[in-house]
Amino acid sequence: MRVIYTDVLVIGAGLAGQRVAIAAKRRGHDTIILSLVPPKRSHSAAAMGGMQASLANVIKGQGDNEDIHFGDTVRGSDWGADQDVVRMFVNTSPKAVRELAAWGVPWSRVRKGDRQVIINGEKVTITERDEAHGLLAQRDFGGTKKWRTCYVSDGTGHSMLFVVSDHVIAEGIPVHERTEALALIHDGSRCHGAVVRNLITGELVAYIAKATTIATGGAGRVYRVTTNAVICEGTGMALALETGAAALGNMEAVQFHPTPIFPAAILLTEGARGDGGLLRDVDGHRFMPDYEPEKKELASRDVVSRRIEEHIRKGKGARSRFGEHVWLDITLLGEHHIKHNLREVYEIAKYFNGVDPVKEWIPIRPGQHYTMGGIRTKPTGESPTLKGLFAAGEAACWDMHGFNRLGGNSVAETVVAGMIVGEFVADFCDRTENDLDVSTGLIREFVAREQAKIDDLLHGKGTEDATRLRSRMQDLMTDKVGIFRTGAELESAVAELEELLKKSRNLGVRSKSTGSNPELVTAYRTQKMLKVALAIAYGALTRTESRGAHFRVDHPRRDDAQWLKRTLATWKDETASLPTLEYEQLDVKKMELPPGWRGYGAKDYIDHPDTSKRQAEVDEIRTKMEGADRFAVQDALMPYEHLLPERLRGRNERIDERLPL
Amino acid sequence: MNEVKHRKLKISVLRYNPQDPESVPHMQTYELEEADGMTLFIALNEIREKLDPSLQFDYVCRAGICGSCAMLVNGRPALTCRQLTKDLGDEFTLAPLPVFELIGDLSVNTGKWMRGMSERLETWVHAKEQEIDLRRIEEPMDPELAEKLYEVDRCIECGCCVAGCGTARMREDFVGAVGLNKIARFKIDPRDTRSDDDFYELVGDDDGVFGCMSLLGCHDVCPKQLPLQTQIAYVRRKMVAMAFS
C-alpha cells in the first residue's frame, strides 16, 4: 500500500483549489493538488464574461461599492445566502481582482474619453474619466445596479486560470494530474485525507493530510442539458456525502443559464446581453420588456430563464428539427465589438451552428449551468461536522449564492474563497492540536474497501449498464427537476432515481483493464452521481415554496415563514436509497438586509414573522446614523470583519474613495 | 419535414495501449451513422457507448476552449470537439498527437509536457515585489497593450503547434511555438521585470528560438489563430540582437 503524507491535500485544480493551495504553501505548508485533468483544462476556463468586483472605475460603475454589491448579491440569492459570507466576499473581491492584475491577468482596461455603447437597444455615448484611464474596466451584467463585472474580453476564466496555474508552478506546488479521489479517509469526526486512484495505471494510493480541501466544481452533468464540462459530475460533493458526517447544503438550488447555444448547450456569456444583446421570439419580437419592464434582458438568470421558457410555452418559440428555442440578437453591437469583446461567442456560433452573429441571430435555450448548493461549510470553509475537511468554490456551500447566483459572482467566488479558505486552512495546519494522528489500520481499511468495490465492478456478477442508468438519470433531471417543478413530477423523479440507485449497486463492466479504463470510471462515478441527483431531486420535492432558481409551479410563492432555511442532506446509511434531510434556520434578526422584493420577478411572497421587526430596527439604525460614514452604519447593522483572515481585512480604495497614504 | 438520409461514416482509429504488454499498434475501423450537427466529440462518445467501451480519448469542455481534445484528423492536428463530421469525407482517420507521451489510443499526456515547458521557461510574471497592498488602486496599463497581451494570452496549450512542428520531432527539448509565444507574451508585459538577458538564457539556443526552422506548421494548425509567425520572428529578432550585443 502506497501512502503519501502532506500537510494540505487539495482535490481539484480549478481556480478555487489552486488558490487555496497557493495560500497554504505561502504559509509554509506542504501542499499537493489532485486533478482529473491538467489544471489549465479545468472548467474555470469556461467562465467567459467576467468577475464582479466593485472597483467603480468606469463611469457606469461610479458610486459602486461593497454595500451595493452586497445588496445585489443578497437580492439575487432571494435571501437564501448567508449575509456574513456575502459581506466577506464583496470586501475581498476587489482585492482578488487586484492581486490577479499584479500577477499578470490581462484585464481589459478603461480608455478615457467618449465611447459608444448599446443600452436597452439604443446607441448611447458615454464619457470615461481621465483619471480612470488604464484602470480595470467593468461591464454590465444581470441583476446588478452598477457596471461591476471586470473582464478579459470574453476569455476571463481562461486568463485567470492560466495565471493562477502558472503561479502554482512558480510556487513549486505539485499537481498530481489524472488522479481521482474515490473516498475520504475519516473516523466519523476527523478527515485524514483520501483514497486516490491513478487514472492511467489504476493504482490506489492513500493521501494523508492534516487538512483536505474539496474544490471539484459543480454537478452539471447529472443533467442532460448543461453548459458544464464533461468532468463536472458532482463526484467531489459525493465524496463528502458518502462520509455520512459531512452535509450538502441547498442541493435543490440549481441555476439554469438563459443563453446556452441551441442544441449543443455550450455557454454563450451573459456579457452578450450585458453589452446590449437582445432576446427575440419566433416573430422577431423583443419579448423581455413585456415581462420585466425594469431590468428586461438583464434581470437575474433565474428570472430570465423562466421568462424564456414561459414564452416558449405560449407558442412563441422558433422551431427547428431539434425542438424549440428563442434567438439571441447581438447584430446591433457591430462587427468590431463582436470579434474583439465577444470573440468566443463568435467562434462558438460559427463552429457549432454555422451562424455568423455579426449578421444573424443565434439560437439559444436555457440549460443547467451552476450548482448553488454544495458541501456545507462554516465561513472559514471547514465542514462544521467533519473536522479537517474544507471545501471552496462551486463544490462548496458556505453560502454566498443562496438560491440564485448572479453572473460574474462565481468566477469571483473561486478566487475569493481560495484566498479566504486558504488562510483558514493554513491556520488550521498551524495549530499543533491538528497534527497528523491517524492509525495505519484505518488507512488500510479505507484502501481495501475501495479496492474491493473496483474488483467487484470488474469481476463481480453485476449486470446493469452504467451508461444506460446515467442517461436515464440525466433525462429525469432535465425533464422533471428543471426550471419548472411540480410535486407530482418530482415525486416520480425521486422514485425512479431510487430505483436507478439500487440498480447501480449491481453494475458490471465489459472491459476488464485494471489500468486506464473509461468504462470502469463511468461505472463508479455513476454510483456517486445518482446520490447527488437524489439530494437535488429530494430536496426540491420537499421544499414546498419557490425561491430563486427553485420554482415550484404548485407552490409559486416564496415562503419566508416556512422556508427561510437551508436544506442539509446527509447519507448516513450506505444501504439507504435516499439522503436524510434536515434544515438549518436563517436568522432574520441578524440580517443586514431583511427579506423583501428583489426588484425584479414576482412581488408575491409570504413574510417571516421577524421580518417587519428587523426591518424597523434596521430603519431606526439608519435614521439615527444619518450622515455617518457607510462603514460605521454597516458595522452597526451586521459586524463581519472579524470573520475575515487578518491579512484580507481593510477598506478598498477607489477613484472617489481614496485611502490615506 | 423531410426524412434526411444520413451518411455511414467509416472512422479509422489508431489503437494502442502501452499499459498492456499484449497490445500492438493497429488501425481499427468503426462504422457509425452520422447525425445532424455531429462533432467528433459526439461521434467518439457514441463509439464508446455503443461499439467499444475501451476506446481512450480526452474531452473536457467540448466547446473549443480547454485544449484537451487535439488529435490528428487525417494526419493534421486539430481540436476535435468542434470538428463537425459534415466537413469530413465518408472515411477518415484519427490518431493521437505525436511528440507527447502516449497514454492510450487517442489520449496523450500534454499536461506533463506543458508543465515541464512552464517550469523551464518560468511562464509567470516575475514581479518587482512579492507582496502588494491589495487595498490600493491597481497599476494602470495602456488599454491597447492589454488587448495586445490578451491576443497572445489566448493560447490554450492544446499541443497542436508542437504536433505540427518539424523541430519538435527531431529535438526532444524544443520548447515549440507554445513556449516561444509565451516568451513573447511576458516580454511585452511591463509587469514582468525580466530583461532580454534573462530571456536569452531561456530560449537563446537550439532548443529555443534558434531551433525553429521556419516551416511554420505551428502557425497553420493553431486552432486559436494565434499570430505565431509574428511572435516567433519577434523573439528571434530580439534574441539575435542579444547574441550580437
Side-chain angles (χ1 to χ4, degrees):
Chain A
M1 181 176 68
R2 255 183 83 204
V3 183
I4 293 174
Y5 293 91
T6 180
D7 295 326
V8 178
L9 177 66
V10 178
I11 304 172
L15 280 169
Q18 293 196 91
R19 189 61 188 80
V20 167
I22 290 169
K25 183 71 197 287
R26 286 192 162 181
R27 293 269 303 271
H29 300 289
D30 267 351
T31 302
I32 296 175
I33 306 176
L34 306 178
S35 183
L36 298 174
V37 298
K40 288 172 182 164
R41 316 255 187 257
S42 303
H43 190 53
S44 303
M48 297 177 178
M51 135 167 202
Q52 285 205 42
S54 58
L55 300 189
N57 290 330
V58 296
I59 201 73
K60 286 281 184 184
Q62 198 174 14
D64 197 12
N65 59 37
E66 297 84 4
D67 296 351
I68 303 176
H69 191 184
F70 170 81
D72 285 346
T73 303
V74 172
R75 288 186 186 92
S77 81
D78 221 352
W79 279 274
D82 180 325
Q83 297 194 6
D84 281 334
V85 172
V86 177
R87 268 290 169 193
M88 292 164 70
F89 163 73
V90 297
N91 200 56
T92 309
S93 191
K95 296 179 176 69
V97 75
R98 284 170 173 160
E99 178 178 80
L100 290 171
W103 285 5
V105 171
W107 296 109
S108 297
R109 303 282 173 151
V110 183
R111 188 177 283 116
K112 65 184 173 189
D114 289 352
R115 64 180 178 129
Q116 214 167 51
V117 295
I118 308 282
I119 296 175
N120 192 19
E122 308 281 336
K123 279 189 183 153
V124 179
T125 301
I126 57 177
T127 311
E128 297 296 355
R129 294 170 288 180
D130 286 359
E131 57 271 38
H133 187 75
L135 300 180
L136 268 55
Q138 291 80 40
R139 60 167 37 140
D140 200 7
F141 251 43
T144 65
K145 288 203 167 74
K146 299 279 180 186
W147 291 21
R148 184 184 302 129
T149 305
C150 303
Y151 61 100
V152 183
S153 180
D154 66 351
T156 313
H158 162 84
S159 282
M160 290 170 67
L161 182 62
F162 270 54
V163 161
V164 172
S165 300
D166 282 333
H167 232 80
V168 161
I169 299 174
E171 294 284 345
I173 300 169
V175 181
H176 294 188
E177 295 176 11
R178 295 178 189 265
T179 59
E180 174 167 14
L182 298 181
L184 295 178
I185 298 170
H186 67 96
D187 58 15
S189 58
R190 172 78 161 97
C191 179
H192 297 292
V195 181
V196 176
R197 182 169 182 268
N198 181 317
L199 290 170
I200 299 176
T201 64
E203 187 190 10
L204 296 192
V205 177
Y207 284 68
I208 301 300
K210 290 185 195 172
T212 304
T213 303
I214 295 180
T216 49
R221 287 279 157 178
V222 302
Y223 283 82
R224 182 184 72 237
V225 181
T226 176
T227 62
N228 284 190
V230 302
I231 54 170
C232 302
E233 298 178 307
T235 46
M237 295 168 182
L239 290 178
L241 190 60
E242 286 180 338
T243 62
L248 302 186
N250 282 346
M251 289 304 287
E252 66 271 30
V254 176
Q255 179 169 84
F256 298 85
H257 194 285
T259 63
I261 202 164
F262 184 81
I266 294 166
L267 174 68
L268 300 178
T269 173
E270 183 151 323
R273 281 171 292 134
D275 290 1
L278 306 175
L279 295 173
R280 298 187 186 279
D281 65 13
V282 62
D283 306 318
H285 172 64
R286 182 189 175 195
F287 58 91
M288 275 309 295
D290 305 342
Y291 296 103
E292 295 294 329
E294 309 251 329
K295 297 292 288 182
K296 307 178 181 71
E297 280 84 357
L298 288 173
S300 65
R301 288 178 176 174
D302 57 327
V303 170
V304 179
S305 289
R306 272 199 296 279
R307 296 307 196 186
I308 293 171
E309 290 297 327
E310 190 179 343
H311 204 59
I312 290 174
R313 284 179 182 204
K314 287 182 186 163
K316 290 293 182 183
R319 282 161 208 75
S320 85
R321 86 184 79 169
F322 299 104
E324 290 172 281
H325 62 83
V326 296
W327 302 104
L328 172 64
D329 172 12
I330 58 170
T331 58
L332 63 168
L333 306 185
E335 183 167 359
H336 181 84
H337 186 92
I338 292 171
K339 289 190 175 168
H340 284 81
N341 293 51
L342 296 170
R343 187 166 185 152
E344 293 294 343
V345 172
Y346 175 79
E347 285 194 8
I348 289 163
K350 185 175 86 172
Y351 282 107
F352 291 92
N353 287 53
V355 165
D356 178 0
V358 175
K359 302 192 194 88
E360 300 165 277
W361 300 342
I362 313 168
I364 59 99
R365 185 162 187 175
Q368 193 285 345
H369 182 58
Y370 189 82
T371 317
M372 270 79 73
I375 299 163
R376 179 70 186 134
T377 74
K378 300 182 273 192
T380 58
E382 190 182 7
S383 162
T385 45
L386 189 58
K387 196 176 166 194
L389 175 68
F390 292 77
E394 191 173 348
C397 177
W398 61 339
D399 185 357
M400 68 162 272
H401 303 303
F403 275 74
N404 176 67
R405 167 177 77 74
L406 294 184
N409 260 358
S410 72
V411 82
E413 179 191 18
T414 61
V415 282
V416 167
M419 292 166 87
I420 294 174
V421 175
E423 293 300 328
F424 287 122
V425 165
D427 288 350
F428 180 89
C429 292
D430 280 345
R431 290 196 288 273
T432 49
E433 81 238 30
N434 296 323
D435 280 348
L436 276 180
D437 181 14
V438 54
S439 111
T440 52
L442 186 75
I443 303 173
R444 182 173 27 99
E445 200 181 296
F446 270 85
V447 174
R449 190 184 302 169
E450 292 309 308
Q451 189 63 57
K453 284 189 206 164
I454 285 177
D455 292 346
D456 189 49
L457 287 170
L458 287 172
H459 310 297
K461 297 195 177 71
T463 51
E464 295 287 348
D465 173 18
T467 305
R468 287 213 346 240
L469 302 189
R470 170 186 296 223
S471 126
R472 183 63 195 146
M473 166 191 71
Q474 290 168 329
D475 284 346
L476 283 171
M477 294 301 286
T478 289
D479 297 342
K480 297 184 175 178
V481 197
I483 297 178
F484 290 104
R485 301 169 173 180
T486 68
E489 281 186 336
L490 289 168
E491 229 163 87
S492 89
V494 169
E496 200 179 335
L497 287 168
E498 284 187 80
E499 287 311 306
L500 295 176
L501 179 70
K502 288 173 195 160
K503 285 181 183 173
S504 79
R505 291 168 180 155
N506 183 36
L507 292 177
V509 297
R510 287 162 291 172
S511 40
K512 304 295 182 191
S513 166
T514 52
S516 175
N517 183 341
E519 192 189 12
L520 174 68
V521 170
T522 300
Y524 64 65
R525 286 191 195 164
T526 300
Q527 294 171 328
K528 290 185 156 60
M529 290 169 83
L530 277 162
K531 289 181 184 158
V532 172
L534 272 159
I536 297 170
Y538 192 38
L541 170 63
T542 313
R543 185 174 284 272
T544 49
E545 66 151 357
S546 291
R547 183 180 299 274
H550 170 69
F551 190 83
R552 285 285 298 260
V553 177
D554 44 353
H555 299 278
R557 288 199 291 182
R558 191 181 87 205
D559 184 353
D560 291 343
Q562 301 290 329
W563 286 104
L564 199 60
K565 50 191 182 189
R566 193 171 289 120
T567 311
L568 296 180
T570 50
W571 207 291
K572 294 189 166 64
D573 172 10
E574 181 53 30
T575 60
S577 62
L578 279 178
T580 308
L581 299 187
E582 286 157 294
Y583 294 92
E584 179 186 353
Q585 194 68 43
L586 272 67
D587 190 354
V588 176
K589 294 194 285 291
K590 289 190 179 146
M591 286 183 183
E592 177 177 341
L593 185 63
W597 182 52
R598 303 167 85 188
Y600 43 79
K603 280 188 188 167
D604 190 19
Y605 53 86
I606 301 165
D607 266 324
H608 189 276
D610 294 340
T611 298
S612 57
K613 188 161 163 258
R614 177 60 182 162
Q615 188 62 58
E617 274 170 22
V618 168
D619 293 342
E620 196 192 316
I621 293 171
R622 286 193 185 282
T623 316
K624 209 158 60 188
M625 297 186 71
E626 210 172 314
D629 90 359
R630 64 184 183 89
F631 300 99
V633 178
Q634 196 285 321
D635 193 55
L637 290 170
M638 190 185 76
Y640 75 96
E641 209 176 19
H642 62 284
L643 296 170
L644 279 170
E646 218 154 24
R647 71 167 61 193
L648 297 176
R649 293 179 194 169
R651 297 180 185 182
N652 297 299
E653 190 173 40
R654 295 179 181 80
I655 293 172
D656 298 317
E657 261 184 323
R658 294 285 173 178
L659 291 180
L661 286 173
Chain B
M1 226 177 288
N2 291 332
E3 203 44 47
V4 191
K5 185 125 177 59
H6 289 121
R7 294 190 297 170
K8 267 261 181 297
L9 300 174
K10 278 191 177 177
I11 308 177
S12 297
V13 177
L14 180 53
R15 303 290 313 271
Y16 177 49
N17 180 3
Q19 297 278 319
D20 176 3
E22 316 252 295
S23 173
V24 281
H26 64 285
M27 297 302 289
Q28 185 167 348
T29 303
Y30 300 99
E31 286 191 27
L32 193 70
E33 189 179 304
E34 192 172 35
D36 295 314
M38 183 180 256
T39 58
L40 287 180
F41 163 71
I42 295 169
L44 284 168
N45 274 294
E46 204 171 309
I47 290 173
R48 187 144 88 185
E49 279 171 23
K50 294 184 178 154
L51 303 172
D52 189 340
S54 70
L55 184 63
Q56 296 182 52
F57 50 79
D58 292 322
Y59 287 98
V60 178
C61 76
R62 60 80 172 88
I65 54 163
C66 81
S68 298
C69 66
M71 300 170 196
L72 298 182
V73 183
N74 287 329
R76 189 184 166 91
L79 285 186
T80 56
C81 69
R82 67 181 197 190
Q83 172 72 57
L84 294 167
T85 53
K86 77 174 174 58
D87 297 330
L88 296 166
D90 298 350
E91 299 182 21
F92 54 88
T93 63
L94 297 177
L97 289 189
V99 182
F100 302 99
E101 181 182 291
L102 180 71
I103 291 172
D105 301 333
L106 299 169
S107 170
V108 294
N109 206 335
T110 50
K112 186 175 167 188
W113 194 99
M114 293 296 168
R115 169 109 184 188
M117 178 273 296
S118 287
E119 284 174 354
R120 216 170 107 205
L121 300 184
E122 303 185 5
T123 58
W124 52 87
V125 161
H126 290 50
K128 259 191 266 332
E129 294 133 10
Q130 264 293 316
E131 289 288 327
I132 37 165
D133 187 347
L134 297 177
R135 299 168 307 147
R136 298 276 166 195
I137 290 184
E138 65 276 10
E139 282 288 312
M141 177 186 276
D142 177 54
E144 261 94 60
L145 177 62
E147 263 184 45
K148 217 170 132 188
L149 274 172
Y150 178 61
E151 178 65 18
V152 287
D153 200 56
R154 292 182 303 114
C155 170
I156 56 174
E157 298 188 3
C158 61
C160 284
C161 62
V162 177
C165 172
T167 304
R169 295 296 191 90
M170 298 185 298
R171 290 186 166 276
E172 208 184 324
D173 293 328
F174 184 57
V175 298
V178 55
L180 296 173
N181 179 64
K182 282 179 196 286
I183 292 296
R185 182 237 176 274
F186 289 105
K187 217 192 113 40
I188 61 167
D189 193 327
R191 294 166 291 197
D192 198 315
T193 53
R194 283 178 287 184
S195 65
D196 280 359
D197 243 349
D198 299 326
F199 289 121
Y200 189 83
E201 282 298 311
L202 296 172
V203 294
D205 62 11
D206 285 351
D207 285 331
V209 75
F210 300 127
C212 171
M213 302 183 289
S214 305
L215 299 175
L216 296 172
C218 54
H219 188 97
D220 295 339
V221 299
C222 175
K224 290 287 155 186
Q225 283 95 40
L226 292 171
L228 295 175
Q229 179 174 8
T230 320
Q231 297 299 103
I232 294 172
Y234 169 72
V235 175
R236 180 154 36 207
R237 221 165 41 242
K238 292 288 170 193
M239 292 302 107
V240 167
M242 277 306 298
F244 287 100
S245 69

